[in-house]
Amino acid sequence: MAEQLVASLESMGQLLLAMDTGVGLLIGVGLSMSASHLFSLLANRLTPTQILLHMAVDGLVLSLAFLLGILCHSLMLMLLEGVPLQPITFANRMGAALWPGLFYVLAAAPYVSDLIAVSLLAWIHLNVLVLLQVVYGIPLLTGLVVATPGFVVALLLVGLLFAQRWRTSYDMLAREVADLTQP
């Protein structure tokens, strides 16, 4: 059992090394999305070490969500279009579609945060559709069928993490305020 786990981890490490460009961008997008929670972490008066730990863990989980979305894209491309490809090559090519996510930190802006977040996520999805058309010759409507399931998986994972993290942050802040207001 332990040998199988070690072999799986080594395989995953080799995959990450082969995807060096895509992984760097994935991690950058994850960290940018994580940084959008900086204000709630500061409001909870966490220490700088706790804030960095929260941001690092969230950034890695968000990066994993987008990586799973890209892997779903590659699976759908193979199933629907019969395009033979390696997930590493596909992830490196599709990783370029994620660059608007580097600006996700702007979603922390008050009043316009939802508009910024939706616009950036739509831009990422559009980039994937365009790359599918340019690189693999997939028409936009077919690309929509290929890319939407992976995009939905990524959005669900991102939404679950954000909902959990925001709920925890606001519960912590509410407890602090309640403690301060009680005699």
Side-chain angles (χ1 to χ4, degrees):
M1 179 73 170
E3 293 174 4
Q4 191 176 24
L5 180 63
V6 169
S8 296
L9 290 174
E10 287 177 359
S11 172
M12 189 170 99
Q14 292 301 322
L15 176 72
L16 292 175
L17 286 175
M19 291 176 40
D20 60 352
T21 304
V23 169
L25 193 54
L26 276 171
I27 291 172
V29 169
L31 290 175
S32 177
M33 293 180 88
S34 176
S36 68
H37 292 297
L38 182 61
F39 296 118
S40 70
L41 295 173
L42 289 171
N44 284 309
R45 291 187 229 132
L46 298 177
T47 66
T49 305
Q50 290 173 319
I51 290 173
L52 286 175
L53 182 65
H54 277 278
M55 289 181 62
V57 170
D58 286 353
L60 292 174
V61 171
L62 291 164
S63 299
L64 180 63
F66 279 106
L67 180 61
L68 289 174
I70 287 173
L71 292 176
C72 285
H73 296 336
S74 69
L75 179 64
M76 291 296 290
L77 191 60
M78 286 189 296
L79 290 175
L80 295 177
E81 294 297 314
V83 175
L85 50 91
Q86 293 181 343
I88 295 170
T89 306
F90 184 75
N92 276 330
R93 288 183 179 158
M94 291 297 118
L98 296 175
W99 73 266
L102 294 172
F103 299 105
Y104 200 89
V105 69
L106 299 175
Y111 306 112
V112 292
S113 61
D114 291 340
L115 177 63
I116 292 171
V118 169
S119 299
L120 290 173
L121 292 171
W123 193 358
I124 289 170
H125 192 56
L126 179 63
N127 285 347
V128 169
L129 296 176
V130 168
L131 280 172
L132 285 173
Q133 183 179 25
V134 170
V135 175
Y136 298 104
I138 307 295
L140 287 177
L141 288 177
T142 306
L144 196 59
V145 173
V146 168
T148 299
F151 189 66
V152 168
V153 165
L155 285 182
L156 285 174
L157 293 173
V158 167
L160 287 173
L161 178 70
F162 277 2
Q164 185 272 337
R165 182 61 70 194
W166 280 98
R167 189 177 338 107
T168 303
S169 295
Y170 285 119
D171 287 346
M172 188 185 312
L173 187 59
R175 279 193 306 272
E176 266 189 41
V177 169
D179 289 344
L180 290 175
T181 58
Q182 291 179 352

